[in-house]
Amino acid sequence: MLASRDCIKASASILLLLFVAGVLVGGLLIYFVSYRQVTNLNGQITNLQSAVSDLQGNQNTTYQTITILQNGTSLADIYNDVRASVVLIQGETSNGGVQGSGFVYSFNGRTVVLTNYHVVQDTSGLSVTFHDGHGYSATVLGTDPYSDLAVISVSSDAPASEFKPLTIVSSSTLGVGEPVIAIGNPYGLVGSLTTGVVSATGRSITEDTAGGYAIANIIQTSTPINPGNSGGPLLNAVGNVVGITTAIVSDSQGLGFAIPSDTILREVSALTTAGSYHGHSYLGVRGTDMDYATAKQTGANVTYGWQISTIVSGGPSDGKLHVGDIIVAMDGQRIRNNDDLASYLEEHTLPGDNIALTVMRGNSKLDVTVTLGTRPAPSA
């Protein structure tokens, strides 16, 4: 009986030992698994931190090596190719000093500087300073207030190495949305580059220097233009000249204007050799744009066109057009407003040409032929 009890006690002790051992082994296994999981998790966190760090490093490298391209050419390359061709123009007027921009151009082997008329108007002590800081005296060869253009000759003291002419190409294919670049000297900040796009073509603007006549076929651009930019080149995406920056609208943002290169190419010969250009046609009328409100107010049956308000006595249209006539077409080309009218006359006609006008007179549509005259001087 005693032996049996001893056997039972021994068995219980063994079971207790086995239970304790199982608990210990289980605890060790749980600790080991948990430790491995924590270690793996820490490793994953470390790898993730390393990956994030790599990404941040690569991102910084990307931003540091960004190259802005215009038609496959970097802006920096265009600027380096062109900047030595852009000059600072300075002079004196009765109201104090003036300054603007200009650029070098080669006309039939003669090197000149092109700029705006309003930059050199009534100036004395005119000078041209090149990108390297060397300045020389200059004289005006020719001007056209109606296009705000001027051609300057630089003193023979300037060595040939200073002159790096730019290429002027036709602006006729320039389209809205195309990138353009302006380089000039805004507020005297020499060699500044700005970029934008062509916002519109065929605009017309009026400047005091043009005697109230519209400067036609203007390029409108979002490229920032500031005082001192006037006369500098407007470039296309490969660095060729498509215009000369000329004006801004006060208190506007992203609204600048440039004389188109087609106007430059048409006039540069006369300005360089004869000192003036007399190819601006003249209708001898003044007027306003038509719109819906004007049509309702006047009882007109068209909401577009250009309505005549004044006819110059003895002018080309005297006796042929009437006050109140609305010009709606020229040579079959639709005329929506003064922009269309001025641009058509500038681009497609010369003094002495006969032009077929389609006008609305009351409720009647008439065809009237007018022989264009030569525009009088701005002071007239």
Side-chain angles (χ1 to χ4, degrees):
M1 186 72 177
L2 182 60
S4 176
R5 289 178 179 174
D6 290 340
C7 184
I8 291 172
K9 288 181 179 179
S11 297
S13 297
I14 292 171
L15 288 174
L16 179 61
L17 288 172
L18 288 174
F19 174 76
V20 170
V23 169
L24 290 174
V25 171
L28 289 172
L29 285 174
I30 292 172
Y31 171 78
F32 179 74
V33 171
S34 299
Y35 176 78
R36 288 291 302 272
Q37 289 177 338
V38 169
T39 301
N40 289 337
L41 183 59
N42 285 334
Q44 291 175 359
I45 291 174
T46 301
N47 290 337
L48 182 60
Q49 289 174 334
S50 177
V52 170
S53 178
D54 288 342
L55 285 173
Q56 288 175 336
N58 290 337
Q59 186 180 41
N60 288 337
T61 301
T62 300
Y63 277 114
Q64 291 168 358
T65 58
I66 280 178
T67 299
I68 304 299
L69 299 179
Q70 295 280 59
N71 200 34
T73 305
S74 77
L75 286 174
D77 288 341
I78 292 175
Y79 179 75
N80 288 330
D81 289 342
V82 171
R83 63 178 180 172
S85 304
V86 181
V87 301
L88 172 67
I89 299 172
Q90 294 174 299
E92 295 291 332
T93 70
S94 58
N95 296 320
V98 294
Q99 67 179 23
S101 305
F103 63 92
V104 179
Y105 179 66
S106 179
F107 170 72
N108 289 344
R110 182 175 185 178
T111 307
V112 296
V113 170
L114 303 182
T115 187
N116 288 141
Y117 169 71
H118 76 261
V119 172
V120 302
Q121 181 186 17
D122 298 328
T123 57
S124 60
L126 198 64
S127 68
V128 168
T129 301
F130 291 88
H131 176 73
D132 58 11
H134 291 144
Y136 305 91
S137 63
T139 56
V140 176
L141 287 178
T143 60
D144 179 17
Y146 289 133
S147 293
D148 198 19
L149 292 177
V151 178
I152 295 175
S153 175
V154 181
S155 167
S156 59
D157 293 337
S161 59
E162 293 281 22
F163 298 93
K164 297 175 174 58
L166 294 180
T167 300
I168 301 179
V169 298
S170 174
S171 55
S172 61
T173 59
L174 201 61
V176 173
E178 291 189 28
V180 284
I181 305 159
I183 299 179
N185 311 303
Y187 300 107
L189 301 173
V190 175
S192 299
L193 177 149
T194 55
T195 64
V197 298
V198 175
S199 305
T201 58
R203 295 292 197 210
S204 61
I205 60 174
T206 302
E207 293 184 351
D208 294 339
T209 57
Y213 291 96
I215 300 177
N217 223 15
I218 292 292
I219 300 167
Q220 179 185 323
T221 175
S222 65
T223 306
I225 297 172
N226 294 288
N229 270 116
S230 292
L234 186 72
L235 308 168
N236 63 12
V238 294
N240 292 325
V241 178
V242 290
I244 292 182
T245 56
T246 185
I248 57 174
V249 176
S250 298
D251 301 322
S252 69
Q253 295 183 355
L255 190 61
F257 299 99
I259 307 299
S261 56
D262 280 358
T263 300
I264 305 169
L265 294 171
R266 185 167 54 246
E267 297 192 19
V268 67
S269 175
L271 295 180
T272 303
T273 59
S276 59
Y277 178 78
H278 301 287
H280 299 289
S281 334
Y282 178 60
L283 263 178
V285 294
R286 291 186 176 88
T288 57
D289 290 346
M290 284 295 297
D291 55 25
Y292 179 81
T294 303
K296 293 289 288 183
Q297 183 179 2
T298 61
N301 58 3
V302 290
T303 58
Y304 68 94
W306 194 72
Q307 187 172 45
I308 296 172
S309 59
T310 305
I311 298 175
V312 177
S313 178
S317 298
D318 192 13
K320 297 184 177 181
L321 296 177
H322 297 173
V323 171
D325 284 353
I326 302 170
I327 299 175
V328 295
M330 287 182 163
D331 292 333
Q333 180 74 35
R334 187 183 183 95
I335 300 298
R336 298 167 300 171
N337 48 37
N338 184 63
D339 286 351
D340 287 352
L341 183 143
S343 295
Y344 185 85
L345 287 175
E346 187 66 30
E347 189 173 357
H348 299 288
T349 69
L350 289 170
D353 287 351
N354 291 324
I355 188 168
L357 303 177
T358 303
V359 302
M360 297 300 301
R361 184 174 295 167
N363 293 322
S364 301
K365 180 181 285 189
L366 306 174
D367 292 323
V368 179
T369 299
V370 174
T371 302
L372 297 170
T374 300
R375 195 180 292 178
S379 58

